[in-house]
RNA sequence: GCGGGUGUAGCUUAAUGGUAAAGCCCUAGCCUUCCAAGCUAGUUAUGAGGGUUCGAUUCCCUUCACCCGCUCCA
């Protein structure tokens, strides 16, 4: 966790999520899904500008992974190939991955205390003589705490007069005898309810358990399923990576914080296959790479935090390995703490071994030089694209009371939905044809806006709100000497350049970032 | 899923058991030579469903969404 004491008050610029959500809707970044029907909890739609922003982040990730992957520790470019796997896979894949079964948690609620427990974490002391109340406690509770409860509720008997029994083994009909862990009242526990976080549907016309399939809760498994296909078809050699971007679905109990936790979201995952002895080296390598990448697209350095997972929060696949490190971002709703943006996990050989066992397909890699046979270890930088969009917007949101819009989005030009706006100073005279001419030239190279209507101040303000780095304005001087003014978003400063040099100018300016 | 809170136009705020009002925004026109200016006109709302009532945005019920706290987050 971050240390709030390190942050001074003046560092904290309080941006309210309400303002960000309102801006996103007003300017067409992000809308509630099926807005006209009142929305749907946990689902969001990306508007015209949000789609551009998301695509830009997505493309930059793909470029940094697949097109121009980084130079490895040995000075040579690393090798990563792309993949786009189906959202619905054979349900056996999710059994092997541990998502079916392990991913559904039966929960019980206490009607009196309103507390909720995992049913499989509750133990019940059942009186061996069948008399008196049954006493529930949480697995892992201190033994003297349990004894204290027995002394209080056990009618004078010692703990040996009871049989510790998992709640899951107890008939629901007997629940009225049970005192929940934080009350002495009996019968306050509800029936266990399943909270499987995977969406399911049925393949084919008839719905039956045999045809039940799941929407993927992560894109990673699609990569493991195709590990052998890729190996056999693309001449890659360990170490190498397979990258994939796509939607994933989780039926979250509580979608919260705008698009931060939604039920449909987009992931950018890369599985890096390497020799077990080299896993640590590559883990370190990718942690550094990933942090640098987020900063390269405009996430401010102070807002990013690298946090190793504590031992008790590690996922099942990471317990025996080097653990997981999160790249975290200081979201307005987590500040001064941070929230997960990307997890860089050492998954060991868990997934490939699981799929080998369940499918019967050999997942071994045979080193062509040494003939060593082994199942590669996997380092997984798994980033949230949806969360990335939110982080970029939050990071860019800059309050500036001195300008008409009251704020601007300080987007890095590489992610900005619009790289420039071309604005004729007035809608009359000869400004418009010249502006159109410039627009037609620039749109061949960049995503740019031509905006003619209303006075110039309103148009600058609008571009500030959507984070356009440059505005090129055509005025009477343009007609005479073919020059335009450049207005810079962050400084509002203006300079004058030749109209036929605008494209070169943009190229030079964008290089500076 | 539990508890609490909030739902009136794109935004901010009014009002009412009996025609829902305004400012900003937006759109069109005029005017404008650089930062939401001015003039004119215009579009847009009681989250949804049901009940009580002659009549409900207002009272009641249900539901949905959002916010906060639990819980959950492989």
């Amino acid at each position: 966790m971050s240390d709030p004491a390190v942050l001074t008050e003046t560092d904290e610029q309080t941006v309210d999520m309400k303002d960000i959500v309102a801006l996103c809707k007003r300017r067409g970044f992000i809308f509630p899904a099926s807005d006209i029907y009142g929305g749907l909890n946990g689902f969001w739609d990306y508007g015209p500008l949000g789609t551009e922003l998301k695509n830009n982040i997505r493309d930059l990730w793909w470029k940094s992974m697949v097109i121009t992957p980084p130079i490895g520790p040995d000075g040579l470019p690393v090798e990563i190939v792309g993949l786009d796997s189906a959202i619905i896979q054979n349900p056996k894949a999710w059994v092997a991955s541990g998502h079916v079964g392990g991913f559904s948690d039966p929960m019980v609620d206490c009607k009196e205390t309103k507390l909720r427990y995992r049913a499989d974490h509750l133990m019940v002391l059942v009186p061996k003589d069948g008399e008196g109340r049954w006493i529930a406690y949480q697995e892992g509770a201190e033994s003297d705490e349990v004894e204290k409860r027995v002394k209080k509720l056990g009618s004078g008997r010692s703990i040996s007069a009871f049989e510790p029994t998992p709640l899951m083994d107890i008939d629901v009909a007997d629940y009225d005898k049970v005192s929940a862990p934080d009350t002495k009242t009996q019968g306050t526990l509800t029936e266990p309810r399943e909270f499987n976080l995977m969406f399911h549907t049925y393949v084919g016309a008839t719905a039956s358990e045999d045809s039940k399939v799941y929407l993927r809760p992560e894109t990673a498994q699609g990569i493991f399923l195709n590990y052998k296909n890729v190996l056999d078809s693309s001449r890659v050699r360990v170490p190498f990576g397979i990258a994939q971007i796509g939607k994933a679905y989780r039926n979250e109990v509580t979608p919260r914080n705008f698009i931060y936790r939604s039920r449909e979201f987009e992931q950018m995952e890369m599985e890096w296959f390497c020799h077990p002895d080299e896993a640590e080296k590559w883990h370190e390598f990718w942690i550094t790479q990933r942090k640098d990448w987020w900063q390269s697209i405009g996430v401010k350095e102070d807002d990013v935090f690298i946090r190793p997972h504590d031992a008790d929060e590690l996922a099942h696949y990471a317990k025996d390995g080097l653990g997981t490190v999160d790249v975290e971002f200081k979201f307005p709703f987590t500040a001064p703490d941070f929230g997960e943006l990307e997890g860089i996990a050492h998954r060991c050989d868990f997934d490939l071994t699981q799929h080998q066992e369940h499918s019967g397909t050999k997942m071994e890699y045979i080193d062509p030089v040494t003939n060593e046979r082994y199942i590669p270890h996997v380092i997984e930088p798994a980033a949230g694209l949806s969360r990335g969009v939110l982080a970029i917007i939050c990071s860019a949101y800059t309050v500036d009371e001195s300008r008409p819009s009251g704020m601007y989005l300080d987007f890095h030009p590489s992610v900005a939905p619009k790289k420039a706006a071309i604005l004729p100073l007035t809608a009359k005279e000869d400004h418009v044809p010249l502006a159109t001419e410039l627009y037609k030239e620039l749109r061949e190279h960049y995503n740019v806006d031509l905006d003619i209507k209303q006075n110039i101040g309103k148009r600058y303000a609008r571009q500030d709100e959507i984070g356009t780095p440059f505005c090129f304005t055509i005025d009477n001087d343009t007609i005479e000497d073919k020059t335009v003014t450049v207005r810079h978003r962050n400084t509002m400063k203006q300079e004058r350049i030749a109209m036929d040099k605008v494209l070169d100018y943009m190229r030079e300016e964008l290089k500076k970032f």
Side-chain angles (χ1 to χ4, degrees), chain A residues 34-172:
Chain A
S34 20
D35 201 5
I36 59 171
Y37 289 102
L40 183 63
N41 197 1
F43 294 89
W44 301 91
D45 292 339
Y46 287 80
L49 294 177
T51 305
E52 294 296 334
L53 175 62
K54 180 156 73 72
N55 287 353
N56 287 343
I57 298 171
R58 179 197 68 190
D59 293 346
L60 287 163
W61 185 91
W62 192 257
K63 182 171 184 295
S64 79
M65 283 291 180
V66 181
I67 313 291
T68 322
I71 306 298
D74 56 1
L76 296 172
V78 303
E79 189 171 31
I80 301 175
V81 294
L83 183 78
D84 189 2
S85 68
I87 285 172
I88 293 174
Q89 301 280 355
N90 190 311
K92 288 175 187 168
W94 303 114
V95 175
S97 69
H99 288 92
V100 175
F103 200 37
S104 58
D105 302 324
M107 306 292 296
V108 292
D109 292 309
C110 176
K111 284 179 269 194
E112 181 173 297
T113 62
K114 305 300 179 195
L115 292 169
R116 165 171 290 182
Y117 312 93
R118 276 183 61 163
D120 55 345
H121 284 183
L122 287 190
M123 295 294 290
V124 180
L125 293 169
V126 180
K128 288 174 180 168
D129 58 10
E131 299 293 320
R133 73 175 76 228
W134 300 13
I135 303 164
Y137 64 95
Q138 293 200 67
E139 210 174 46
E142 299 292 331
S143 57
D144 55 335
E145 288 294 317
V146 178
E147 272 167 41
K148 221 186 276 176
R149 265 175 71 77
V150 171
K151 205 174 275 180
K152 213 161 126 192
L153 307 173
S155 315
R157 286 171 295 185
S158 78
I159 199 161
S160 58
F162 295 87
E163 186 66 43
T165 314
L167 181 74
M168 298 299 282
D169 295 345
I170 288 174
D171 195 321
V172 174

Side-chain angles (χ1 to χ4, degrees), chain A residues 403 460 464 469-471 485-489 492-494:
Chain A
R403 61 179 79 198
Y460 284 149
D464 280 347
F470 306 107
C471 291
T485 57
V486 189
R487 184 256 193 193
H488 293 259
R489 176 193 62 203
M492 297 196 284
K493 293 233 168 68
Q494 299 192 353

Side-chain angles (χ1 to χ4, degrees), chain A residues 177-392:
Chain A
K177 304 191 184 92
V178 176
S179 290
D182 296 283
T183 178
K184 55 185 182 181
T185 317
Q186 289 168 284
T188 59
L189 286 180
T190 61
E191 279 183 47
R193 278 173 294 205
E194 292 278 325
F195 286 87
N196 193 320
L197 295 190
M198 276 197 293
F199 284 99
H200 67 259
T201 184
Y202 301 97
V203 167
T206 53
S208 73
E209 280 305 299
D210 293 341
S211 61
K212 190 172 176 182
V213 293
Y214 301 94
L215 303 191
R216 65 181 177 200
E218 63 175 26
T219 54
Q221 293 305 321
I223 294 177
F224 298 125
L225 296 173
N226 285 286
Y227 158 78
K228 227 181 140 23
N229 282 337
V230 171
L231 211 52
D232 292 346
S233 63
S234 64
R235 305 187 68 197
V236 289
R237 283 165 57 175
V238 172
F240 72 98
I242 304 177
Q244 168 158 243
I245 297 172
K247 290 273 176 94
Y249 302 82
R250 295 180 194 178
N251 203 351
E252 297 285 357
V253 177
T254 313
R256 231 5 114 73
N257 293 326
F258 199 30
I259 58 171
Y260 180 75
R261 175 168 301 134
S262 51
R263 291 185 164 130
E264 174 177 317
F265 56 99
E266 213 157 342
Q267 292 185 306
M268 309 183 288
E269 296 194 301
M270 193 274 287
E271 308 298 328
W272 179 253
F273 300 93
C274 62
H275 191 282
D277 293 346
E278 295 194 324
E280 188 169 2
K281 176 182 83 178
W282 287 111
H283 196 219
E284 291 300 319
F285 174 77
W286 284 113
I287 291 166
T288 308
Q289 288 293 323
R290 297 309 304 148
K291 184 176 186 239
D292 290 350
W293 182 80
W294 284 109
Q295 287 173 23
S296 79
I297 63 167
V299 177
K300 294 178 177 67
E301 187 173 4
D302 292 347
D303 295 340
V304 195
F305 183 70
I306 296 289
R307 186 180 71 87
H309 276 206
D310 297 331
D312 59 355
E313 61 176 324
L314 285 177
H316 56 84
Y317 52 75
K319 288 227 187 315
D320 301 323
L322 301 162
T324 299
V325 166
D326 278 349
V327 181
E328 300 195 325
F329 176 77
K330 199 198 300 170
F331 290 99
F333 46 81
T334 59
D337 286 333
F338 293 70
E340 183 189 348
L341 195 53
E342 170 163 0
I344 302 160
H346 176 209
R347 298 183 73 125
C348 304
D349 57 1
F350 177 86
D351 302 276
L352 290 180
T353 304
Q354 284 293 112
H355 286 302
Q356 175 169 280
E357 284 173 13
H358 282 78
S359 69
T361 302
K362 274 243 163 78
M363 295 294 185
E364 274 182 344
Y365 178 76
I366 302 168
D367 189 291
V369 179
T370 64
N371 280 331
E372 184 190 0
R373 289 167 176 264
Y374 61 94
I375 294 183
H377 273 210
V378 169
I379 304 297
E380 174 194 75
L385 175 53
S386 317
R387 286 183 180 183
V389 170
L390 183 58
I392 291 286

Side-chain angles (χ1 to χ4, degrees), chain A residues 398-419:
Chain A
T398 309
V399 174
D400 181 356
E401 299 293 351
S402 73
R403 61 179 79 198
S405 51
M407 54 74 62
Y408 62 97
L409 287 180
D410 180 20
F411 281 140
H412 189 282
S414 62
V415 297
K418 299 286 178 184
K419 310 299 184 206

Side-chain angles (χ1 to χ4, degrees), chain A residues 6-38:
Chain A
V6 177
L7 306 160
T8 63
E9 285 295 318
T10 47
D11 284 340
E12 289 306 293
Q13 188 185 47
T14 45
V15 178
D16 200 330
M17 273 311 285
K18 269 189 199 146
D19 296 334
I20 288 175
V21 175
L23 174 76
C24 283
K25 184 168 182 187
R26 188 170 76 250
R27 286 301 173 202
F29 284 95
I30 296 158
F31 309 120
S34 20
D35 201 5
I36 59 171
Y37 289 102

